[in-house]
Amino acid sequence: MPAYKDEKTGTWYCKFYYVDWTGTRRQKMKRGFKLQREAKDWERNFLEKQSGSPDMTFQALYDLYLEDIRSRLKPSTLLTKEQCIESRVLPYFKEKRINEISPADVRKWQNGLIEDGLKPTTQRRVNSQLNAILNYAIKYYGLQKNPCSVTGMIGNCKAEKMDFWTLEEFKKFIAGVDNLMHSTLFNILYYTGLRCGEALALTPADIDLEEKVIHVTKTFHRYHGQDIITTPKTSNSIRDVPIPEFLCDHIQNYMKQIYGLEVSDRIIPLINASVCKILDRFCERAGVKRIRVHDLRHSHVSLLIDMGFPAMLIAERIGDKVEMVNNIYGHLYPNRHDEVADRLQALVSN
């Protein structure tokens, strides 16, 4: 596996032959490596991916896995998966050959996640990524056994403690938001329960101010520096959300002040990461407890539950399933079992 030095540039390159998936012999060249070792490593990883053998490195397997799932996942989901694997899985297993990864290796890696103080739900999510990649190797690249099946899972899938603001807390927060764009966004999130990406994707064409309804048909996210609009998270997420008149007035007043606003322009030209920072800044200014942007969605649901609305109506409004509303927010509903017994008694007594 030789590497060659380009005397003109002082960099290294590799040049070699390989057989592609059709059986055709081809030549490959890659230039621009600072070190000879980097050129050799690139050639080795390329050949391992071409052969798809169980003695490939974990890095080579991950590259194949990523290429395979890229067309099957939404960019936002793919980005979350990449960030998880590249920060918590690759650093440990990158150079290991997949058929040499033992249950002891996985156990030691799991212990590291626990010792790092990751939340139980995060531990389980990270462990699931490793498990999925190795199962992929079993299915397509001849790996005989997944060592994760021996070690088992760590963490748990129990939802983290849900935070939300009461109406009084939100009013205190929003009173200190002196930027019209920001106050418009946070009012939309709190009073509609839209996901942040859904709110960031809104255009004037999505907001019917006469009928007082927001049409949710898409979501926004940034993937590797590019702004991308896709369909919402699930089919249930495509919905019409009626909004109160005061929110219509707020949105209308804001849009009137945007010079040259077209019907297809995003009315809130921010990205998710910046929304988090803005929320944190105004939380500190208002002196209210810090919550996540997604917790504004939780806050909307808790508000509707407090107002007495049933789970089915809430599920339709936030674009989710009734089962999800019951599972996540069921503890917020008042316990009315005693009321059932009392009303049954009243039927007989009368």
Side-chain angles (χ1 to χ4, degrees):
M1 191 178 291
Y4 310 94
K5 189 168 186 179
D6 188 327
E7 298 299 337
K8 291 183 179 179
T9 63
T11 58
W12 292 82
Y13 66 94
C14 55
K15 183 179 180 181
F16 54 92
Y17 286 93
Y18 71 99
V19 178
D20 69 12
W21 65 277
T22 66
T24 304
R25 190 167 184 262
R26 298 183 180 277
Q27 187 181 71
K28 184 73 175 180
M29 177 185 288
K30 179 70 174 178
R31 296 181 177 274
F33 299 100
K34 293 181 179 180
L35 302 175
Q36 182 183 32
R37 182 183 70 252
E38 293 175 348
K40 290 183 177 181
D41 288 345
W42 191 91
E43 179 181 348
R44 185 186 71 249
N45 286 334
F46 180 88
L47 293 173
E48 285 175 349
K49 285 191 288 184
Q50 289 298 315
S51 64
S53 63
D55 64 346
M56 74 175 89
T57 62
F58 187 85
Q59 175 69 65
L61 173 63
Y62 171 63
D63 292 341
L64 289 168
Y65 174 74
L66 199 61
E67 183 179 351
D68 180 72
I69 64 174
R70 195 178 301 279
S71 60
R72 297 169 178 264
L73 300 178
K74 289 181 179 293
S76 56
T77 305
L78 186 62
L79 181 60
T80 300
K81 183 181 283 286
E82 284 180 290
Q83 291 173 339
C84 177
I85 296 171
E86 292 173 10
S87 64
R88 291 292 179 177
V89 183
L90 272 186
Y92 191 89
F93 294 103
K94 184 176 182 178
E95 302 298 332
K96 293 182 180 291
R97 298 194 175 279
I98 60 173
N99 59 0
E100 295 176 356
I101 297 176
S102 67
D105 292 326
V106 175
R107 181 79 171 185
K108 185 176 179 180
W109 169 75
Q110 290 177 333
N111 289 339
L113 297 179
I114 297 170
E115 291 166 3
D116 284 347
L118 298 183
K119 295 177 181 178
T121 48
T122 305
Q123 293 174 21
R124 191 173 188 86
R125 184 171 67 250
V126 174
N127 198 108
S128 296
Q129 299 298 341
L130 175 63
N131 187 55
I133 294 173
L134 293 177
N135 279 338
Y136 174 78
I138 289 175
K139 190 170 184 179
Y140 297 106
Y141 294 105
L143 184 65
Q144 293 301 304
K145 189 173 184 179
N146 184 345
C148 291
S149 63
V150 178
T151 60
M153 297 292 287
I154 58 173
N156 60 62
C157 56
K158 184 179 180 180
E160 300 172 11
K161 180 179 178 298
M162 182 180 65
D163 282 328
F164 60 89
W165 279 337
T166 62
L167 180 59
E168 291 71 26
E169 288 174 314
F170 177 73
K171 286 182 176 179
K172 183 179 180 181
F173 163 82
I174 204 67
V177 181
D178 52 8
N179 179 291
L180 188 56
M181 178 197 296
H182 300 161
S183 65
T184 302
L185 172 62
F186 292 131
N187 272 294
I188 289 174
L189 293 174
Y190 187 83
Y191 288 111
T192 67
L194 265 64
R195 299 177 180 90
C196 185
E198 294 171 344
L200 294 179
L202 290 176
T203 67
D206 300 318
I207 304 171
D208 189 332
L209 295 171
E210 290 187 4
E211 295 296 326
K212 300 183 180 62
V213 65
I214 291 177
H215 305 293
V216 182
T217 61
K218 53 189 177 295
T219 189
F220 166 89
H221 37 254
R222 175 164 286 188
Y223 180 68
H224 291 314
Q226 292 187 333
D227 294 347
I228 298 176
I229 301 289
T230 65
T231 55
K233 185 176 182 180
T234 66
S235 58
N236 290 333
S237 300
I238 299 176
R239 62 200 188 278
D240 289 342
V241 181
I243 57 177
E245 187 171 353
F246 75 84
L247 185 55
C248 283
D249 294 342
H250 191 108
I251 296 172
Q252 185 174 43
N253 179 50
Y254 165 64
M255 290 196 300
K256 283 181 178 178
Q257 299 188 36
I258 304 176
Y259 178 77
L261 180 66
E262 301 290 341
V263 293
S264 59
D265 291 340
R266 289 197 299 130
I267 66 170
I268 310 289
L270 299 173
I271 62 174
N272 300 67
S274 63
V275 175
C276 296
K277 294 178 181 177
I278 294 167
L279 179 67
D280 287 348
R281 185 171 74 249
F282 285 117
C283 280
E284 184 176 357
R285 176 185 295 184
V288 297
K289 67 182 178 186
R290 182 194 176 281
I291 63 173
R292 303 170 305 162
V293 175
H294 193 70
D295 289 327
L296 289 169
R297 179 173 167 88
H298 296 325
S299 299
H300 180 69
V301 174
S302 67
L303 178 64
L304 297 186
I305 291 174
D306 189 58
M307 294 172 70
F309 291 107
M312 180 174 291
L313 184 148
I314 294 173
E316 291 175 354
R317 183 172 178 84
I318 67 173
D320 228 313
K321 296 180 179 179
V322 176
E323 293 81 2
M324 187 283 303
V325 173
N326 287 329
N327 289 340
I328 296 180
Y329 305 102
H331 66 286
L332 296 178
Y333 281 94
N335 190 330
R336 304 181 67 182
H337 288 289
D338 290 341
E339 181 183 347
V340 172
D342 291 342
R343 294 183 66 175
L344 288 173
Q345 177 65 31
L347 288 176
V348 175
S349 299
N350 293 334

